[in-house]
Amino acid sequence: MVDLDLGHEIADIPPGVRDIVLDDVLGYYAQADGVPAFTLRDADGAPVARFGDGGPDVSGEPSDLLAWLSGRSDGTALTGPGELPTLPPWI
């Protein structure tokens, strides 16, 4: 859930707004310390972002990627090799 457990989820965010927030989160992680190497891909396999040397691929729907990157999900909706990379906190 998002925002004080009022029943809203990341998937409820309109796509245009979601994409703006996703870009912001990706920009943060591009400059943050302690981000592990991995490649983020959309559900079709197209690259979304690459961190470090690329490392393992993590893929999913945009709302699921945003939920995981922003710490609102444990990433169970995403596809990756074994455990997902451990991210430093966003904001």
Side-chain angles (χ1 to χ4, degrees), residues 4-30:
L4 304 176
D5 200 22
L6 294 174
H8 302 285
E9 298 184 23
I10 297 282
D12 298 328
I13 299 172
V17 175
R18 178 206 59 221
D19 293 345
I20 291 169
V21 178
L22 181 57
D23 284 345
D24 182 63
V25 175
L26 292 172
Y28 169 81
Y29 281 121

Side-chain angles (χ1 to χ4, degrees), residues 26-54:
L26 292 172
Y28 169 81
Y29 281 121
Q31 297 179 20
D33 292 330
V35 177
F38 70 100
T39 299
L40 201 62
R41 297 183 180 277
D42 67 18
D44 295 325
V48 173
R50 179 182 164 120
F51 300 95
D53 65 4

Side-chain angles (χ1 to χ4, degrees), residues 57-85:
D57 286 349
V58 174
S59 61
E61 297 295 331
S63 59
D64 295 326
L65 295 174
L66 177 56
W68 176 63
L69 290 167
S70 64
R72 300 291 188 161
S73 161
D74 62 5
T76 55
L78 302 177
T79 302
E83 289 187 32
L84 296 176

